[in-house]
Amino acid sequence: MAALAPMKAAVVTRPGPPEVLVVTERPLPIPTTGWVRIQVKGFGLNRAEMFTRQGHSPGVEFPKILGIECVGVIDLDPSGALEKGQQVAAIMGGMGRKFDGSYAEFVVVPNACVVPFQSTLSWEILATLPEMFHTTHGALEESLDLNSSDTLLIRGGTSSIGLLAARLAKLKGAKVISTSRSADRAPLLKQNGADDMILETGEIAPELRKRYPKGVSKVLELVGTSTLIDSLQCTAPHGIVSMVGILGGKWAFDYFEPMKHIPHLVKLTIYTTDSITPSPESFQEFIEAIEKGELDSRPAKVFSLQNIADAHRLIEANEAKGKLVGIP
């Protein structure tokens, strides 16, 4: 049997700075029963991959190909359930952590990670969608139960998730307040659906209560533990705070006293995408909303596989200004 042609991949052999991402040739991965091989057409770049590259993701063994999401076409499905050439997205489920991920020309993933779809959008636009949709749709719909009567506070509003969440919230008719550490990001926030912007200082509750004395009904907490207690103080009774991200880079509290820090009748929850894959129907509806022009999901910047280290430098410097994508 002839040897399979190798593929190109960005491999991390040890934790470290962006320079540890090295593009090299790897053997073409072979799917076993219950797995499929995808020819990667594009992939999103995420802070989660930065944390893994830095060595902060528990249980990750190196060398590793990073990448928790991708879009592409089925190259091989041993079960025959998906035809060769079928457009698919692959999301989470251990990608780039438990097994090699999407910073490559091909990736092998469990069937449970795969969401088939149909679209005429460019691969660059499609590459922005899987993780952003998965997180925003799940957090707003399942965790926060957002509706048109809500006032939503988004901590970390200029992140790719924050910008998309604002757009989706406005489609539902909610009022949106977004935060940013820089006043010059106000136009960006307003363009993406925010009705109001609050300068992020880490302690915005006094300023928010000046503008909205009753507080907000829902909070999408993307910064994490460094602002979570303050977000609770921004929330009205019977409101919900959902912690979804850790943009602040801090995984745990130095001190947290639930009876003191959680206001009376305020609900605190989390949303994680690790064990849930979005339905093909909801993902297809989301794609069609973009095709109709109801949502804008153009990437902030596109990188080749050879330049993935540059993308990580942007993420590390908090200068991404939207979703970054890679094209093998």
Side-chain angles (χ1 to χ4, degrees):
M1 182 181 294
L4 294 173
M7 68 171 185
K8 291 181 180 178
V11 182
V12 175
T13 58
R14 59 178 176 81
E19 289 74 24
V20 300
L21 282 157
V22 177
V23 177
T24 186
E25 288 190 344
R26 294 286 293 270
L28 191 67
I30 308 298
T32 56
T33 303
W35 294 61
V36 299
R37 185 167 67 215
I38 298 170
Q39 182 181 5
V40 178
K41 297 294 187 178
F43 53 87
L45 291 141
N46 302 279
R47 291 186 71 84
E49 294 142 8
M50 179 193 75
F51 291 133
T52 300
R53 188 254 302 156
Q54 292 172 337
H56 301 312
S57 295
V60 173
E61 297 180 357
F62 296 94
K64 188 71 65 187
I65 300 172
L66 304 183
I68 63 172
E69 61 172 321
C70 72
V71 290
V73 296
I74 292 293
D75 184 60
L76 178 62
D77 179 2
S79 73
L82 292 171
E83 293 184 3
K84 185 179 177 71
Q86 167 67 57
Q87 290 178 303
V88 292
I91 312 169
M92 303 293 287
M95 289 178 65
R97 292 172 178 164
K98 294 179 182 178
F99 53 88
D100 283 335
S102 57
Y103 288 16
E105 293 178 317
F106 293 86
V107 63
V108 166
V109 301
N111 292 352
C113 296
V114 177
V115 182
F117 66 86
Q118 292 183 342
S119 179
T120 58
L121 292 171
S122 71
W123 289 114
E124 292 181 357
I125 290 177
L126 291 167
T128 69
L129 304 183
E131 177 61 10
M132 285 207 306
F133 167 75
H134 195 3
T135 301
T136 52
H137 181 270
L140 296 181
E141 298 287 338
E142 299 182 38
S143 188
L144 289 172
D145 191 24
L146 191 75
N147 58 64
S148 60
S149 65
D150 281 321
T151 298
L152 173 68
L153 171 64
I154 303 176
R155 301 296 289 260
T158 56
S159 66
S160 57
I161 298 295
L163 294 172
L164 178 58
R167 296 194 292 269
L168 290 175
K170 289 308 295 180
L171 281 180
K172 293 184 73 70
K175 183 179 181 67
V176 178
I177 307 159
S178 292
T179 72
S180 174
R181 292 180 298 176
S182 175
D184 64 9
R185 297 292 182 90
L188 174 66
L189 294 174
K190 296 291 179 68
Q191 290 165 12
N192 283 274
D195 298 290
D196 197 2
M197 179 262 195
I198 294 180
L199 192 64
E200 183 61 79
T201 62
E203 296 181 359
I204 68 166
E207 175 61 27
L208 183 136
R209 290 284 182 167
K210 285 181 184 177
R211 304 187 198 183
Y212 307 92
K214 294 182 180 180
V216 299
S217 56
K218 306 288 171 67
V219 181
L220 181 65
E221 176 56 81
L222 300 173
V223 178
T225 57
S226 58
T227 57
L228 179 57
I229 292 174
D230 185 67
S231 288
L232 289 163
Q233 305 311 309
C234 295
T235 311
H238 305 289
I240 304 173
V241 178
S242 181
M243 180 173 159
V244 177
I246 50 167
L247 294 174
K250 189 175 181 182
W251 293 79
F253 289 108
D254 295 325
Y255 169 69
F256 182 66
E257 188 177 334
M259 295 293 286
K260 175 182 177 181
H261 292 137
I262 302 177
H264 185 58
L265 299 180
V266 170
K267 301 174 182 67
L268 172 61
T269 186
I270 66 164
Y271 182 77
T272 175
T273 57
D274 281 335
S275 59
I276 305 170
T277 301
S279 71
E281 294 79 13
S282 60
F283 189 53
Q284 186 68 46
E285 288 175 4
F286 180 67
I287 290 173
E288 289 171 2
I290 297 170
E291 291 175 337
K292 293 174 185 176
E294 297 173 355
L295 291 169
D296 182 3
S297 193
R298 287 171 293 184
K301 197 166 185 179
V302 180
F303 293 83
S304 69
L305 196 61
Q306 294 287 344
N307 295 321
I308 290 304
D310 291 335
H312 273 241
R313 292 185 188 97
L314 270 184
I315 296 171
E316 207 160 65
N318 293 314
E319 295 178 356
K321 299 180 181 179
K323 184 73 173 185
L324 306 182
V325 303
I327 301 295

